[in-house]
Amino acid sequence: GIQVEQSPPDLILQEGANSTLRCNFSDSVNNLQWFHQNPWGQLINLFYIPSGTKQNGRLSATTVATERYSLLYISSSQTTDSGVYFCAVDTFQTGANNLFFGTGTRLTVIP
Amino acid sequence: ETGVTQSPTHLIKTRGQQVTLRCSSQSGHNTVSWYQQALGQGPQFIFQYYREEENGRGNFPPRFSGLQFPNYSSELNVNALELDDSALYLCASSAEPGQGGHYGYEQYFGPGTRLTVT
């Protein structure tokens, strides 16, 4: 199946700092989503972004499908941004709309 | 708009037992997918249901089975539980399955069921 690599695996930031999370994938994708998993396990949708750029408040994301990577930008980080961020993709080759997840980036924002 | 709901929240079972987990899809969604998330890992796709039939399956044995009902809700059944089945089980729904040459539809996840097998 498709390989999804996320970097960095862990990130510690001071409140107010900016960060960039990266997701590399090994095949053409027809779906790419970014999620934030809170401490209770809930996956919260951040972006549906198989290509292009989107912004939502302090968060923005860019996917360059031809170069097989996506970036998630977090600006002016807050303690509530802490948690694990997952990138998940699906390919045109699979028979079902199933997502392949990376291993995540664990973000800790300290006051 | 009602989001994806799952029940129960937590469950403790003994090795060899059987378990049923339930999921109600978001309103307007007809496709349900199930994922298993082991501790420290990303979720892994188990299977998807569309029009009450299995519409794709990940690398899970046949003792993992499912159902989808006419109202699009779904069940995940696991027989002969093993210790390694201990995990967070996540259900996701989408408006359509989105396959072949089409762009996939955005998936929305429920809060999960945490299963512990002792």
Side-chain angles (χ1 to χ4, degrees):
Chain A
I2 188 170
Q3 303 302 309
V4 182
E5 294 181 354
Q6 290 187 244
S7 59
D10 294 280
L11 189 58
I12 300 174
L13 296 176
Q14 201 78 37
E15 198 168 26
N18 302 329
S19 61
T20 301
L21 282 58
R22 187 177 179 101
C23 172
N24 292 332
F25 42 93
S26 60
D27 203 347
S28 301
V29 299
N30 68 350
N31 185 355
L32 189 148
Q33 293 185 240
W34 282 98
F35 297 94
H36 175 210
Q37 189 165 43
N38 67 22
W40 298 272
Q42 175 82 56
L43 281 170
I44 298 163
N45 289 43
L46 298 177
F47 294 102
Y48 167 77
I49 188 166
S51 64
T53 297
K54 290 185 177 180
Q55 179 155 7
N56 184 5
R58 297 183 295 105
L59 304 181
S60 63
T62 295
T63 297
V64 183
T66 53
E67 296 186 23
R68 299 183 182 172
Y69 73 89
S70 182
L71 301 174
L72 176 69
Y73 305 97
I74 304 174
S75 65
S76 304
S77 58
Q78 301 174 358
T79 55
T80 52
D81 295 332
S82 296
V84 182
Y85 289 79
F86 285 105
C87 166
V89 304
D90 191 15
T91 74
F92 288 101
Q93 281 71 41
T94 59
N97 182 26
N98 73 83
L99 292 173
F100 293 87
F101 282 76
T103 51
T105 292
R106 182 174 297 277
L107 174 64
T108 304
V109 181
I110 54 178
Chain B
E1 183 177 271
T2 307
V4 180
T5 61
Q6 293 186 241
S7 64
T9 306
H10 294 87
L11 204 50
I12 300 174
K13 289 286 189 178
T14 303
R15 191 172 52 183
Q17 286 187 316
Q18 178 265 344
V19 69
T20 298
L21 311 182
R22 294 178 175 83
C23 169
S24 292
S25 62
Q26 183 167 311
S27 57
H29 287 183
N30 62 20
T31 303
V32 173
S33 301
W34 287 91
Y35 294 79
Q36 180 196 66
Q37 185 177 18
L39 202 61
Q41 305 292 318
Q44 281 195 293
F45 174 71
I46 302 174
F47 43 55
Q48 180 185 84
Y49 275 83
Y50 171 61
R51 293 183 176 176
E52 300 178 48
E53 292 191 358
E54 189 177 290
N55 186 47
R57 188 179 186 93
N59 190 24
F60 281 82
R63 60 189 185 84
F64 286 77
S65 63
L67 286 172
Q68 187 181 33
F69 301 98
N71 67 353
Y72 309 125
S73 66
S74 177
E75 287 182 355
L76 163 66
N77 300 289
V78 187
N79 293 322
L81 283 167
E82 301 176 0
L83 296 179
D84 284 349
D85 296 333
S86 295
L88 179 66
Y89 287 85
L90 296 162
C91 166
S93 74
S94 58
E96 292 287 337
Q99 58 198 65
H102 303 283
Y103 274 97
Y105 285 78
E106 187 170 5
Q107 294 194 32
Y108 296 84
F109 283 77
T113 294
R114 193 165 296 278
L115 173 65
T116 302
V117 182
T118 62

